[in-house]
């Protein structure tokens, strides 16, 4: 017996095929949308991110929209730091709706926290993952700072205590990691630990954070990193690299440790040298500086813009401001804010072109999140 597909399912497939054909044609022939004012790009991106929140069946934020299957279920890891972005939107734009969303997401993240304090990715297993737990920890901490509700502080402490327990004898995260291997980008988890430590200090938080930050430093060569990719044998995406650099930078600022800030500057300078005049940054760069120029990881562009703007604030070097502006303008040129397709209007693709290696054929929620972060900083800087 052959079962016929329902009409809604057929219509969805046809819509996905049409969307793919349109975006692939645009990318193949470089017919990119025209750049508008940053505020218009920001507004479209915020609308898309709110749509990703609304479309979920729970209070988390959808992983994003895929041309291979439509909207996906909530993604715990990135919902953690998306809550931070919604709080920032509320603060900078007086957007009460964003504040309400941030609190709703944070409460959901408390609900899905494992009994041992960890956060897992149910796509893989119920076991806690270091990186996912760290990103949700950032959301817990910010939610407590915003609301002063004890439940968020308690969730943050449980998550941090778990991160300490699963560290190895040297304090490093070598287990409960993606694919069971260490990753330099877990400096971003160290940053989250230090955020909580600033509120409720424990010696073991500092010990574990420093162990992973120092190991990250040991893997840096001329600005680039060994052991920074998702898999052991691959060159890291710029997304991974800037995760590592941002973790080092923020940790250095919190602890007033210049060596971590210097490492972030070294990597930022190396990335600046790789950026093309139009803002394109190669999608993958290995520890020797060899890059894959066939595509751009747009998420990495956005993350790098945020870090360059932070360095501009710290050092006053206009090169960093200009680099951030150019990088974000490239992403703006890849963002479609005119299409009638609400699934993609305002969203940021994983890769440019859309068939690039990073989250191929998809609009992951964190790409739009970091784009919003970058534009908020750019508009606030207003040079």
């Amino acid at each position: 017996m052959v079962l016929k597909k329902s009409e809604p399912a057929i219509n969805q497939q046809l819509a996905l095929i049409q969307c793919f054909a349109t975006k692939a044609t645009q990318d193949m022939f470089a017919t990119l949308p025209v750049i508008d004012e940053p505020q218009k790009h920001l507004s479209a991106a915020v609308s898309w991110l709110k749509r990703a929140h609304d479309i979920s069946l729970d209070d988390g934020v959808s992983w994003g929209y895929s041309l291979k299957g439509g909207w996906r279920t909530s993604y715990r890891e990135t919902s953690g730091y998306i809550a931070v972005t919604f709080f920032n939107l509320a603060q900078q734009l007086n957007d009460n709706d964003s504040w309400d969303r941030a609190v709703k997401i944070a409460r959901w993240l408390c609900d899905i926290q494992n009994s041992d304090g960890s956060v897992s990715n149910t796509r893989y297993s119920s076991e806690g993952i270091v990186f996912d737990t760290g990103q949700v920890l950032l959301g817990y901490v910010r939610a407590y700072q915003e609301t002063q509700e004890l439940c968020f502080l308690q969730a943050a402490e449980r998550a941090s205590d778990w991160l300490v327990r699963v560290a190895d004898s040297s304090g490093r995260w070598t287990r409960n990691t993606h694919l069971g291997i260490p990753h330099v980008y877990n400096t971003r988890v160290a940053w989250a630990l230090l955020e909580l430590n600033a509120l409720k200090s424990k010696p073991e938080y500092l010990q574990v954070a420093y162990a992973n930050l120092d190991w990250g430093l040991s893997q840096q060569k001329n600005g680039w990193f060994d052991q920074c990719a998702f898999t052991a044998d691959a060159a890291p995406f710029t997304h991974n690299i800037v995760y590592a650099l941002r973790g080092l930078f923020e940790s250095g600022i919190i602890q007033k440790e210049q060596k971590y800030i210097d490492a972030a500057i070294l990597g930022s300078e190396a990335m600046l040298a790789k950026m093309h005049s139009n803002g394109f940054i190669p999608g993958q760069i290995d520890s020797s500086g060899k890059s894959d120029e066939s595509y751009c990881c747009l998420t990495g562009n956005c993350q790098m813009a945020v870090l360059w703007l932070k360095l501009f604030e710290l050092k006053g070097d206009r090169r960093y401001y200009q680099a951030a502006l150019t990088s974000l303008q490239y992403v703006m040129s890849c963002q479609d804010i005119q299409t009638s397709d609400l699934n993609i209007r305002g969203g940021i693709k994983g890769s440019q072109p859309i068939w690039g290696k990073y989250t191929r054929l998809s609009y992951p929620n964190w790409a739009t999140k970091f784009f919003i972060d970058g534009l908020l900083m750019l508009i606030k800087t207003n040079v």
Side-chain angles (χ1 to χ4, degrees):
M1 178 179 178
V2 179
L3 296 177
K4 293 184 178 180
K5 291 185 178 180
S6 65
E7 186 174 340
I10 293 173
N11 289 340
Q12 182 188 40
Q13 284 193 346
L14 290 173
L16 290 169
I17 292 169
Q18 182 180 24
C19 184
F20 168 74
T22 300
K23 302 314 295 182
T25 300
Q26 286 179 343
D27 291 357
M28 185 176 296
F29 296 103
T31 55
L32 298 176
V34 178
I35 297 176
D36 213 316
E37 292 297 318
Q39 288 84 352
K40 289 186 179 180
H41 287 273
L42 174 62
S43 178
V46 171
S47 293
W48 186 92
L49 194 62
K50 288 183 176 181
R51 199 172 302 125
H53 185 212
D54 289 338
I55 208 156
S56 295
L57 298 177
D58 47 42
D59 287 331
V61 183
S62 166
W63 180 98
Y65 186 76
S66 170
L67 302 189
K68 296 178 288 185
W71 286 98
R72 290 171 55 176
T73 57
S74 295
Y75 194 25
R76 299 174 179 187
E77 172 205 316
T78 59
S79 292
Y81 55 51
I82 286 173
V84 176
T85 293
F86 276 132
F87 279 128
N88 290 341
L89 284 165
Q91 182 181 66
Q92 191 166 329
L93 304 183
N94 296 314
D95 182 357
N96 292 331
D97 176 65
S98 286
W99 196 91
D100 291 341
R101 288 174 184 275
V103 173
K104 186 178 290 188
I105 292 167
R107 292 194 192 286
W108 174 74
L109 291 169
C110 288
D111 291 341
I112 58 87
Q113 185 177 30
N114 294 332
S115 60
D116 62 7
S118 68
V119 175
S120 56
N121 184 335
T122 53
R123 180 182 177 186
Y124 298 107
S125 75
S126 61
E127 188 173 320
I129 302 173
V130 165
F131 191 77
D132 298 49
T133 303
Q135 306 325 291
V136 171
L137 174 56
L138 289 169
Y140 291 149
V141 170
R142 182 63 181 274
Y144 174 69
Q145 291 171 325
E146 292 283 341
T147 68
Q148 293 298 298
E149 292 185 23
L150 193 58
C151 62
F152 297 128
L153 180 61
Q154 291 171 336
E157 287 186 87
R158 288 195 298 271
S160 298
D161 291 344
W162 179 84
L163 287 169
V164 168
R165 286 198 304 273
V166 297
D168 65 19
S169 59
S170 69
R172 287 177 49 213
W173 291 306
T174 55
R175 56 194 175 195
N176 290 89
T177 60
H178 182 60
L179 300 181
I181 59 175
H183 305 280
V184 172
Y185 59 72
N186 278 330
T187 56
R188 194 175 160 94
V189 181
W191 162 29
L193 261 185
L194 293 174
E195 288 279 7
L196 178 62
N197 188 70
L199 295 176
K200 195 159 185 180
S201 182
K202 288 185 180 181
E204 53 267 37
Y205 294 166
L206 289 175
Q207 178 191 354
V208 170
Y210 277 128
N212 287 281
L213 291 166
D214 289 340
W215 178 72
L217 287 185
S218 76
Q219 301 302 302
Q220 190 178 42
K221 300 174 182 177
N222 300 316
W224 310 114
F225 294 103
D226 282 324
Q227 301 191 65
C228 195
F230 290 128
T231 58
D233 57 348
F237 297 110
T238 52
H239 171 58
N240 304 123
I241 296 168
V242 192
Y243 264 161
L245 294 174
R246 181 80 184 278
L248 287 164
F249 177 81
E250 298 291 355
S251 297
I253 293 296
I254 293 170
Q255 296 302 117
K256 297 180 173 60
E257 288 278 5
Q258 191 63 41
K259 63 181 179 179
Y260 301 138
I261 298 172
D262 287 344
I265 292 173
L266 181 63
S268 297
E269 289 287 345
M271 197 73 78
L272 183 55
K274 283 287 185 181
M275 184 172 68
H276 297 190
S277 60
N278 67 346
F280 173 99
I281 301 174
Q284 289 172 275
I285 308 172
D286 69 18
S287 59
S288 70
K290 182 180 179 182
S291 55
D292 184 341
E293 305 274 343
S294 66
Y295 73 100
C296 174
C297 170
L298 294 177
T299 310
N301 261 53
C302 298
Q303 291 171 268
M304 199 62 240
V306 171
L307 184 52
W308 277 325
L309 286 169
K310 285 181 172 287
L311 288 174
F312 173 67
E313 289 180 345
L314 181 69
K315 299 177 71 66
D317 188 335
R318 275 195 67 92
R319 293 182 307 123
Y320 294 135
Y321 174 83
Q322 189 58 49
L325 175 61
T326 304
S327 175
L328 287 172
Q329 285 176 332
Y330 180 80
V331 180
M332 282 187 265
S333 76
C334 301
Q335 180 197 30
D336 194 338
I337 62 175
Q338 301 295 333
T339 178
S340 61
D341 187 349
L342 295 180
N343 295 311
I344 64 173
R345 188 170 74 197
I348 304 299
K349 295 173 285 188
S351 293
Q352 175 63 28
I354 199 168
W355 58 82
K357 295 178 185 176
Y358 184 71
T359 62
R360 182 175 280 129
L361 303 178
S362 297
Y363 291 73
N365 67 29
W366 57 99
T368 304
K369 171 263 189 312
F370 285 115
F371 180 64
I372 291 169
D373 291 346
L375 286 181
L376 283 177
M377 287 196 69
L378 187 74
I379 292 167
K380 185 177 180 180
T381 304
N382 193 29
V383 172

